[in-house]
Amino acid sequence: MEVSTSYCTPAVNFKYGSFPDSDVSMREDELFRMGSYNSQGYYVDGTHIDGSIGEEDDTSSGSNDQDDDEDQMDFEEDDLEPESSISTEDEEEEDEEDNDEWTNQKRTDNQNSVAYYAAMEMLRIRFPFQSIAIRISDFCCLQEKDLLNDTMIDFYLNHIVEHVLPDSSGSKVTVLPSLFWHNLSLRQHASDSEDEKLMSDEQKMDLKFGDLHDFVADFDLQDFDYIVVPVNEWEHWSLAVICHPYTSKARTVIFDSQLTADLNNLQNMATLIEEFMKYSYEKRTRTVMPYPLPCVLPQRMPQQTNNYDCGIFIAEFARCFLLNPPKDLDNFDFVNEYPEFNTTNKRAEMQRAVLSLSPNRARWRPLVELLNGYNTAAPHRAL
């Protein structure tokens, strides 16, 4: 499987869920973490390091234990074999205790910490709209009873579009990063200032949506049949899919696995999206948007029975919908359309998706074992 390398806009590197600013130890290795977004490599203490994490080394510690645990792994054997083996004379002379057994990178005194391991990069991948770096801290949220963070949501939704949807589907689909809704939602709660009262309606809309329009200026929203928008509100994930924008079939379908008696919030979400799509169309064409963008809330949507699987549900909502969009959105009965909907093994599936694209996937076997409870019930603390 090849990793998509198409690239239209600057990389979106905002990850508000992964590294709290309050953690001092995180800030100490800021250079290491942020530099790794550079596809040409990064610098640590003045030394250039290429894009991969560690060299392949058949003699790395823990290799014998891996063979004993093969029956416990959920992953295909082919997915866990290293693609290449690279070593240098200098690395062979290093003391084994000075190297990390997962990444084979030499540790310094200030790197021997949970923060250091949490920041280690497992995969860097470039999708059409954004560049995503998945670190151990991101991957760890795929264990049971953890909330999915923005990185894993952005990765998996793009993975569906680029690697799961068949080329024969004929649909043009794009995924907006979770950062998009984060910024768009700020407009929902904006209050009028004294200066705004003196502005024209056009100036007010420019103030409200202008920078977001620039955010998507490198591609035309009219070119897509479906625009996927992950939404995070109050640590809860839902999903909006804009269908056939600017046509008579235009709809915004909202998926939510934790519906309440008050559905105003979902309607407000759709209204805000419609306002932005209207602004973007008029800004590009200098004409009024020809068709409205009504909200569709599917009937009988599956609902989560806990407070942590919302991200898992929207991942499966997106996969089902994009693989087989309903023909009649106005009478969208979810159970009728997708009777086999199931999220039971979704976390393991997402783990496999990451590992299948990682050039060092065999290195992460100990992490996967920890994550799935083979050796410990607290994998975060064991890193």
Side-chain angles (χ1 to χ4, degrees):
M1 181 182 294
E2 295 183 359
V3 176
S4 171
T5 56
S6 54
Y7 197 54
C8 299
T9 65
V12 178
N13 298 328
F14 182 81
K15 305 200 311 145
Y16 54 84
S18 301
F19 301 103
D21 291 337
S22 60
D23 194 327
V24 176
S25 62
M26 295 292 184
R27 293 197 295 268
E28 290 177 350
D29 61 354
E30 187 72 12
L31 174 63
F32 182 89
R33 295 194 290 104
M34 299 308 292
S36 63
Y37 283 107
N38 186 343
S39 60
Q40 303 302 318
Y42 47 84
Y43 289 85
V44 178
D45 297 331
T47 302
H48 182 265
I49 301 176
D50 64 19
S52 64
I53 293 298
E55 312 292 340
E56 299 292 346
D57 185 354
D58 293 336
T59 62
S60 61
S61 62
S63 59
N64 293 333
D65 295 336
Q66 293 175 1
D67 295 335
D68 297 336
D69 295 334
E70 285 179 357
D71 294 338
Q72 295 176 316
M73 297 302 295
D74 294 332
F75 305 103
E76 297 290 339
E77 183 64 27
D78 292 340
D79 288 342
L80 296 173
E81 290 298 324
E83 296 180 343
S84 61
S85 180
I86 305 172
S87 62
T88 64
E89 293 182 0
D90 292 340
E91 289 169 345
E92 292 174 355
E93 295 175 357
E94 290 179 345
D95 292 335
E96 187 172 333
E97 64 181 4
D98 289 335
N99 291 281
D100 177 73
E101 66 181 63
W102 294 347
T103 64
N104 203 31
Q105 282 193 333
K106 186 173 178 62
R107 293 199 301 261
T108 60
D109 290 341
N110 64 350
Q111 291 173 333
N112 190 12
S113 64
V114 172
Y116 171 76
Y117 286 117
M120 296 303 288
E121 184 179 291
M122 297 180 65
L123 170 67
R124 182 189 307 133
I125 182 170
R126 288 166 37 153
F127 291 111
F129 192 80
Q130 62 187 128
S131 178
I132 297 174
I134 297 178
R135 293 172 167 77
I136 288 178
S137 58
D138 304 314
F139 193 78
C140 280
C141 73
L142 292 177
Q143 69 178 334
E144 292 297 329
K145 299 185 180 181
D146 262 13
L147 291 166
L148 267 61
N149 70 0
D150 54 318
T151 298
M152 294 314 306
I153 290 292
D154 287 346
F155 163 76
Y156 189 74
L157 293 178
N158 279 280
H159 171 69
I160 292 172
V161 174
E162 293 299 307
H163 305 137
V164 177
L165 292 185
D167 295 335
S168 58
S169 66
S171 297
K172 295 181 179 179
V173 185
T174 192
V175 178
L176 297 183
S178 52
L179 177 61
F180 173 80
W181 175 260
H182 174 75
N183 286 331
L184 182 61
S185 63
L186 297 178
R187 277 72 181 169
Q188 190 173 17
H189 307 292
S191 59
D192 293 336
S193 65
E194 292 298 325
D195 292 337
E196 290 179 43
K197 294 178 181 180
L198 302 177
M199 295 179 180
S200 64
D201 290 342
E202 182 178 0
Q203 289 174 326
K204 290 180 180 178
M205 294 301 289
D206 286 338
L207 181 64
K208 188 175 184 179
F209 296 123
D211 56 341
L212 279 178
H213 176 73
D214 294 339
F215 188 75
V216 297
D218 288 346
F219 69 100
D220 196 335
L221 298 175
Q222 297 179 81
D223 293 339
F224 298 99
D225 299 304
Y226 301 100
I227 302 171
V228 181
V229 184
V231 174
N232 190 292
E233 290 282 346
W234 302 104
E235 297 186 352
H236 174 71
W237 287 105
S238 52
L239 186 74
V241 181
I242 305 168
C243 307
H244 313 294
Y246 311 127
T247 71
S248 59
K249 298 186 294 182
R251 301 289 187 276
T252 298
V253 182
I254 304 293
F255 298 92
D256 195 295
S257 61
Q258 205 170 42
L259 296 175
T260 62
D262 185 4
L263 301 179
N264 287 336
N265 187 52
L266 299 181
Q267 180 60 58
N268 292 339
M269 180 192 307
T271 299
L272 188 60
I273 290 174
E274 181 180 23
E275 288 180 1
F276 172 77
M277 295 294 288
K278 178 181 178 181
Y279 172 84
S280 181
Y281 184 87
E282 294 178 356
K283 201 70 176 176
R284 287 178 180 275
T285 66
R286 297 297 175 183
T287 59
V288 177
M289 187 170 74
Y291 299 97
L293 196 58
C295 174
V296 172
L297 192 63
Q299 304 172 43
R300 298 199 292 172
M301 271 189 294
Q303 299 291 284
Q304 65 190 84
T305 57
N306 53 55
N307 60 358
Y308 47 78
D309 270 345
C310 52
I312 297 298
F313 270 76
I314 72 161
E316 187 63 8
F317 285 152
R319 191 190 69 83
C320 292
F321 181 86
L322 294 176
L323 281 172
N324 187 24
K327 293 181 173 57
D328 185 2
L329 289 175
D330 291 329
N331 296 289
F332 184 178
D333 186 310
F334 195 96
V335 173
N336 284 344
E337 294 288 344
Y338 312 111
E340 298 180 358
F341 178 89
N342 194 319
T343 61
T344 302
N345 298 314
K346 198 65 185 179
R347 292 178 186 269
E349 178 190 328
M350 296 177 75
Q351 291 176 16
R352 287 194 295 270
V354 173
L355 294 176
S356 69
L357 298 171
S358 174
N360 297 320
R361 54 184 174 268
R363 294 287 179 191
W364 307 114
R365 179 187 281 263
L367 173 61
V368 174
E369 292 177 348
L370 292 171
L371 207 61
N372 291 286
Y374 295 129
N375 296 330
T376 180
H380 287 84
R381 291 188 290 276
L383 292 179

